[in-house]
Amino acid sequence: MARADGFAYDVRADGSVRITHRGRVAAVLRGERAREFLAAVAAPGGDPQLVMARWTGNYRRGNERTARDHPRNH
């Protein structure tokens, strides 16, 4: 799997968390989901970039090149 990068997050005054990917909003989490996300990012030994990629659903699965080259996609 390719390394996740380009993600950032900020915690807003109302407790919501905004996750951006390369400057564009990828997700906004509120309430319990926001608290779970912050706990996952703060977990020792974890990769915050990978956590954000998984929470937004924006991570590569390894098959993009194969799918791009398939005759059905031309």
Side-chain angles (χ1 to χ4, degrees), residues 4-9 19-22 26 48-49 52-53 56 58-59:
D5 64 348
F7 287 96
Y9 73 94
I19 303 172
T20 58
H21 184 245
R22 297 191 174 131
Q49 289 292 310
M52 288 183 270
T56 60
N58 189 2
Y59 61 98

Side-chain angles (χ1 to χ4, degrees), residues 17-50:
V17 176
R18 185 177 69 167
I19 303 172
T20 58
H21 184 245
R22 297 191 174 131
R24 300 180 78 180
V25 176
V28 177
L29 307 173
R30 294 178 180 85
E32 184 62 29
R33 299 258 310 147
R35 288 187 288 277
E36 290 173 8
F37 168 78
L38 292 173
V41 168
D47 181 6
Q49 289 292 310
L50 187 56

Side-chain angles (χ1 to χ4, degrees), residues 34-72:
R35 288 187 288 277
E36 290 173 8
F37 168 78
L38 292 173
V41 168
D47 181 6
Q49 289 292 310
L50 187 56
V51 171
M52 288 183 270
R54 287 191 173 150
W55 276 73
T56 60
N58 189 2
Y59 61 98
R60 295 190 181 262
R61 294 163 185 86
N63 62 352
E64 289 83 8
R65 182 171 295 148
T66 304
R68 182 188 66 207
D69 295 336
H70 194 277
R72 169 180 59 224

